[in-house]
Amino acid sequence: MGDRLLEPLSWGNALIFFLLAVVMLAVVLGFVTYAIYFERKVIGWMQFRKGPNRVGPLGLLQSVADIGKLLLKEDTIPRKADRVLFILAPALCYIPAFAVLAVIPYTNKLYFTDLNVGVLYYVALSGISTLAIVLGGWASNNKYALLGGMRSAAQMISYEVPLVISIVGTVMLTGSMSLRSIVEGQGGGWFWDWNFLPQIIGFAVFVIAAVSELNRTPFDLPEAESELVAGYHVEYSGFRFAFFMLSEYVYVFAIASLMTVLFLGGWHPPAPFLDFVPGIVWFALKFICIVFFLFWLRATFPRVRVDQLMGFGWRVLLPLAILNIFVTAAYMEIFIKR
């Protein structure tokens, strides 16, 4: 797929790119549909409930029915809302979430593009969704939605700083910001050659900051129903509400893929004698484990307070992320011979 980028752009190549994007969109939508089902089943299992079990065999069509209901519901816009921004916000939230997937390498040959600044591309686009959430909250002309939007701005910007700094150590070890090069730098050995061990501090910071960036439990303060009803999207209904939820689960797909690429060796097997298994299988297994971990957190931890959230980000995660840079520099000086 990546080799086609070397060819001159023509109508044929443009059509192929469009079809590949449609296929990727179908894969992502399928993931979102059944990630919701899987999450409800996992949480039900952990809380001694059955979860969805009525619509379709084993409840497999429950998420399909829920999505159909959202698409068919009446689309309402508050009379005093800023109509243009109210309509724009859900799309502005979803488009960057889907666009960041363009730089994720799933195998050595299965990727859309290999940017030499792939890490920066991901960080830059994912930040746009924060603006979309703030816009949605402000345009709704609702004080609860506005509070949810402002919480989101404070939370996501605060945790984006340690998230980005935690990746610096991985970039230092690899010498590249290309995600494909980062994966190739973890290959040819055992699982302890993956970045998560030499970057254990950065990995821990990245995981915690990523959960906060996703607005998921225990950091789902922008959607805290106990005090904000439903947060920044309280005035949204129908397919516009669905777009916000879709963006959240697309980012679950993106962050799990990014974590697999940066720290868990991407498509590389955990041992050399297991390389007969296709790389896409190893990528999928690591990806599924990360997604399960995110669902496990939601079923386990209570929501933290706002002051605890902000204090932890600035007083704990940020110093640890900076410390990781110095530890990585010392590790490279002592153990890596140039």
Side-chain angles (χ1 to χ4, degrees):
M1 188 181 299
D3 295 337
R4 189 164 295 277
L5 295 174
L6 301 177
E7 301 177 11
L9 184 62
S10 64
W11 285 108
N13 286 343
L15 178 61
I16 290 174
F17 289 149
F18 175 77
L19 293 177
L20 291 174
V22 171
V23 171
M24 189 64 199
L25 179 62
V27 171
V28 171
L29 291 178
F31 164 80
V32 171
T33 301
Y34 285 98
I36 296 171
Y37 168 82
F38 179 61
E39 179 174 21
R40 295 171 69 181
K41 277 291 189 182
V42 167
I43 295 176
W45 168 63
M46 291 182 174
Q47 297 175 347
F48 297 101
R49 297 183 289 103
K50 290 185 178 181
N53 64 341
R54 296 285 182 179
V55 184
L58 302 177
L60 286 170
L61 297 180
Q62 182 64 59
S63 294
V64 177
D66 292 340
I67 293 172
K69 179 187 70 174
L70 286 175
L71 295 178
L72 294 174
K73 285 185 69 174
E74 180 183 3
D75 176 35
T76 60
I77 300 178
R79 183 168 56 88
K80 294 187 178 181
D82 188 318
R83 187 178 183 87
V84 175
L85 294 181
F86 188 88
I87 294 173
L88 178 64
L92 191 61
C93 187
Y94 170 72
I95 292 173
F98 182 68
V100 297
L101 302 179
V103 294
I104 301 293
Y106 304 97
T107 68
N108 190 34
K109 296 183 178 179
L110 183 60
Y111 59 94
F112 282 91
T113 185
D114 180 22
L115 294 180
N116 57 359
V117 288
V119 174
L120 288 180
Y121 173 88
Y122 183 98
V123 172
L125 281 187
S126 61
I128 297 176
S129 294
T130 304
L131 299 177
I133 291 175
V134 174
L135 280 180
W138 184 84
S140 297
N141 195 30
N142 180 299
K143 62 181 180 181
Y144 297 108
L146 179 60
L147 285 173
M150 296 308 295
R151 276 190 184 183
S152 176
Q155 173 180 332
M156 296 178 74
I157 292 174
S158 299
Y159 276 79
E160 193 168 354
V161 175
L163 179 77
V164 174
I165 296 177
S166 68
I167 304 174
V168 173
T170 301
V171 174
M172 291 170 63
L173 287 177
T174 309
S176 173
M177 285 193 288
S178 164
L179 293 178
R180 190 161 173 259
S181 298
I182 289 174
V183 177
E184 289 174 346
Q186 303 174 71
W190 298 76
F191 69 91
W192 52 73
D193 293 318
W194 300 346
N195 285 333
F196 82 95
L197 276 179
Q199 285 293 297
I200 188 65
I201 300 176
F203 178 63
V205 172
F206 184 90
V207 170
I208 298 171
V211 175
S212 180
E213 282 287 292
L214 292 172
N215 288 336
R216 293 184 62 84
T217 307
F219 303 133
D220 57 338
L221 273 299
E223 305 171 33
E225 69 278 356
S226 58
E227 64 264 27
L228 294 181
V229 188
Y232 60 90
H233 50 55
V234 66
E235 295 288 358
Y236 283 88
S237 63
F239 73 95
R240 300 191 199 280
F241 173 82
F243 259 82
F244 278 118
M245 292 296 98
L246 177 62
S247 301
E248 179 178 321
Y249 280 90
V250 172
Y251 270 122
V252 169
F253 183 98
I255 209 72
S257 299
L258 187 66
M259 202 179 301
T260 302
V261 166
L262 292 176
F263 297 102
L264 300 180
W267 58 83
H268 294 297
F273 58 83
L274 295 175
D275 59 1
F276 65 91
V277 179
I280 190 64
V281 174
W282 289 116
F283 188 98
L285 288 174
K286 299 169 188 177
F287 173 88
I288 291 171
C289 289
I290 295 170
V291 172
F292 175 81
F293 172 74
L294 294 175
F295 295 164
W296 182 13
L297 286 181
R298 182 172 180 179
T300 305
F301 288 94
R303 181 184 294 121
V304 299
R305 295 198 316 264
V306 178
D307 59 319
Q308 294 172 331
L309 173 77
M310 301 302 292
F312 185 73
W314 290 110
R315 297 175 184 174
V316 179
L317 289 190
L318 182 58
L320 282 177
I322 296 173
L323 174 65
N324 180 63
I325 297 177
F326 290 98
V327 172
T328 302
Y331 171 83
M332 293 176 65
E333 182 67 26
I334 297 171
F335 295 104
I336 299 179
K337 306 299 181 182
R338 296 289 180 181

